[in-house]
Amino acid sequence: MPDQKTPLLEIRDFSLSLKSTPHPLPLLKGLSFSLNEGESLAIVGESGCGKTLTARSIIRLFDHVSFQVDGGSILYRGEDVLKMPGPKLCGIRGKKIAMIFQEPMTALNPVFTIGEQIEEVLILHLKLTKSQAQRRAIELLDKVGIPEARYRINSYPHELSGGMRQRAMIAMAIACNPELLIADEPTTALDVTVQAQILELLERLRSSIAMGLILVTHDLGIVWNVAQKVIIMYAGYIVEEAPVGPLFREPLHPYTIGLLKSVPSMDAMKHGNGQRNRLDPIPGNVPSMDQLGPGCPFAPRCSQQLATCSKELPKLITIDPHERRRVRCHLY
């Protein structure tokens, strides 16, 4: 059972800026959320909202020459990742916290076979011998649904399809039975059938080894059957957080409402009537971080804008403590 007293991961008021002249440019602003053991969380938003940067920050995978932490903490089992010495952090990356990157063709090394890349993780973290690591690599490829795994370990990334490369990435990520798996857009550029298979695989792995799962995506349509709770991000802020069911049934923030209306299958999911209404795209684009004013960053695109919206940033407030629902909007 998840430990309600000590979350597996807890982010407290975390802010990150890009070092620039004459002033640093804030990118992530006061992020706070938590994840328990065996729990699944989706971080959703349009491109440029800070989803991937948030995910990479969890394992401190950002360039300290280009970025600076402005405040807050990222606690893994109560210990601040931001303050960990390098050797300890390297021992956690890949072993305790693993990450599936957005594009497997660039994340996988093209000059090494799939087997060699999985074996390297096992030898480094679990101290297995070469033969032990090879047997384990075959087991992992078989587990993620790659046929003829004992032959595929000798394949190079370019010899595999997109779906197979993504499965190989997942095999590498789960090699050490991590306590937390971060999947950054794991179904990008995959066809619908393979997309569904990858999501089903992630959910099966989460439930079978009680692994925490963070799914980073721009598409609310793929989180319905995977996530237990959802965080909606916009322009570096969390604008809404809720369990997946209540969020789909009754979204609170105008941005969340817009996202749901812009996905064709959402109406059928919410009402079960199989009907699809006309798409209602959100007007405008996500603003550049250097063009944000003092008010709500979504105000220029919001159909429910109030007079105060462009002048004052709304606070992230708790609407329902029992369901852990939070929203950042002057309407509430």
Side-chain angles (χ1 to χ4, degrees):
M1 292 293 291
D3 185 349
Q4 300 297 332
K5 294 182 180 179
T6 305
L8 177 64
L9 176 73
E10 185 176 11
I11 297 182
R12 298 177 180 172
D13 201 27
F14 175 67
S15 297
L16 186 75
S17 291
L18 177 68
K19 296 178 182 178
S20 61
T21 304
H23 303 293
L25 180 63
L27 300 178
L28 301 178
K29 301 135 184 177
L31 304 186
S32 294
F33 62 89
S34 65
L35 184 77
N36 293 317
E37 293 180 12
E39 195 172 37
S40 55
L41 165 71
I43 302 177
V44 181
E46 293 171 271
S47 297
C49 72
K51 307 183 304 296
T52 293
L53 190 55
T54 298
R56 295 175 74 94
S57 296
I58 292 171
I59 50 176
R60 215 168 79 195
L61 202 60
F62 52 80
D63 180 8
H64 287 270
V65 175
S66 303
F67 298 92
Q68 68 180 41
V69 176
D70 297 322
S73 56
I74 299 176
L75 304 177
Y76 166 70
R77 292 204 175 278
E79 188 170 358
D80 195 348
V81 171
L82 301 175
K83 296 179 180 178
M84 281 184 186
K88 183 167 187 177
L89 181 61
C90 288
I92 288 176
R93 286 178 182 159
K95 184 177 182 180
K96 299 294 185 180
I97 305 176
M99 187 165 182
I100 303 168
F101 295 94
Q102 186 167 351
E103 177 45 63
M105 196 59 201
T106 56
L108 293 169
N109 194 319
V111 301
F112 291 101
T113 66
I114 297 300
E116 288 171 331
Q117 295 183 62
I118 298 174
E119 290 161 20
E120 181 183 20
V121 175
L122 295 165
I123 293 170
L124 174 65
H125 289 297
L126 300 185
K127 311 303 180 187
L128 300 186
T129 64
K130 173 69 175 177
S131 60
Q132 290 173 331
Q134 187 178 70
R135 287 195 298 271
R136 175 63 175 155
I138 294 172
E139 292 173 3
L140 287 163
L141 290 179
D142 185 63
K143 187 174 185 176
V144 298
I146 292 183
E148 300 182 321
R150 62 177 178 165
Y151 301 111
R152 285 296 184 183
I153 63 168
N154 298 315
S155 298
Y156 290 88
H158 73 272
E159 297 177 313
L160 301 178
S161 67
M164 289 294 185
R165 285 196 295 268
Q166 195 63 281
R167 289 174 188 270
M169 279 287 297
I170 295 173
M172 193 182 309
I174 66 169
C176 300
N177 289 328
E179 296 179 329
L180 173 60
L181 178 63
I182 304 167
D184 184 9
E185 300 278 8
T187 58
T188 296
L190 300 179
D191 64 55
V192 175
T193 302
V194 177
Q195 188 178 99
Q197 292 172 351
I198 294 296
L199 292 173
E200 189 276 333
L201 172 61
L202 290 176
E203 173 59 16
R204 178 157 44 85
L205 291 170
R206 182 196 66 80
S207 59
S208 64
I209 61 176
M211 175 185 70
L213 174 64
I214 295 179
L215 175 66
V216 177
T217 180
H218 66 278
D219 185 358
L220 267 170
I222 71 172
V223 306
W224 176 256
N225 293 314
V226 178
Q228 293 169 311
K229 62 180 182 179
V230 186
I231 284 174
I232 307 295
M233 289 191 66
Y234 189 82
Y237 292 99
I238 293 175
V239 296
E240 185 165 356
E241 179 183 2
V244 65
L247 182 125
F248 274 64
R249 288 192 301 269
E250 188 182 2
L252 300 178
H253 197 280
Y255 179 57
T256 310
I257 295 170
L259 286 178
L260 286 165
K261 287 183 176 180
S262 66
V263 180
S265 60
M266 290 302 101
D267 186 68
M269 283 185 179
K270 287 191 293 181
H271 303 296
N273 55 17
Q275 296 178 357
R276 292 187 176 186
N277 294 334
R278 181 177 60 85
L279 296 183
D280 291 321
I282 303 173
N285 299 298
V286 178
S288 299
M289 295 298 188
D290 58 352
Q291 296 177 346
L292 296 179
C296 173
F298 187 63
R301 307 173 70 186
C302 184
S303 61
Q304 302 182 59
Q305 183 179 167
L306 304 174
T308 188
C309 292
S310 60
K311 303 174 184 177
E312 182 182 344
L313 177 70
K315 295 180 180 179
L316 185 63
I317 61 172
T318 300
I319 299 294
D320 187 332
H322 177 69
E323 289 189 337
R324 291 185 293 175
R325 296 208 69 169
R326 298 188 297 164
V327 65
R328 185 188 300 275
C329 182
H330 286 303
L331 293 174
Y332 304 93

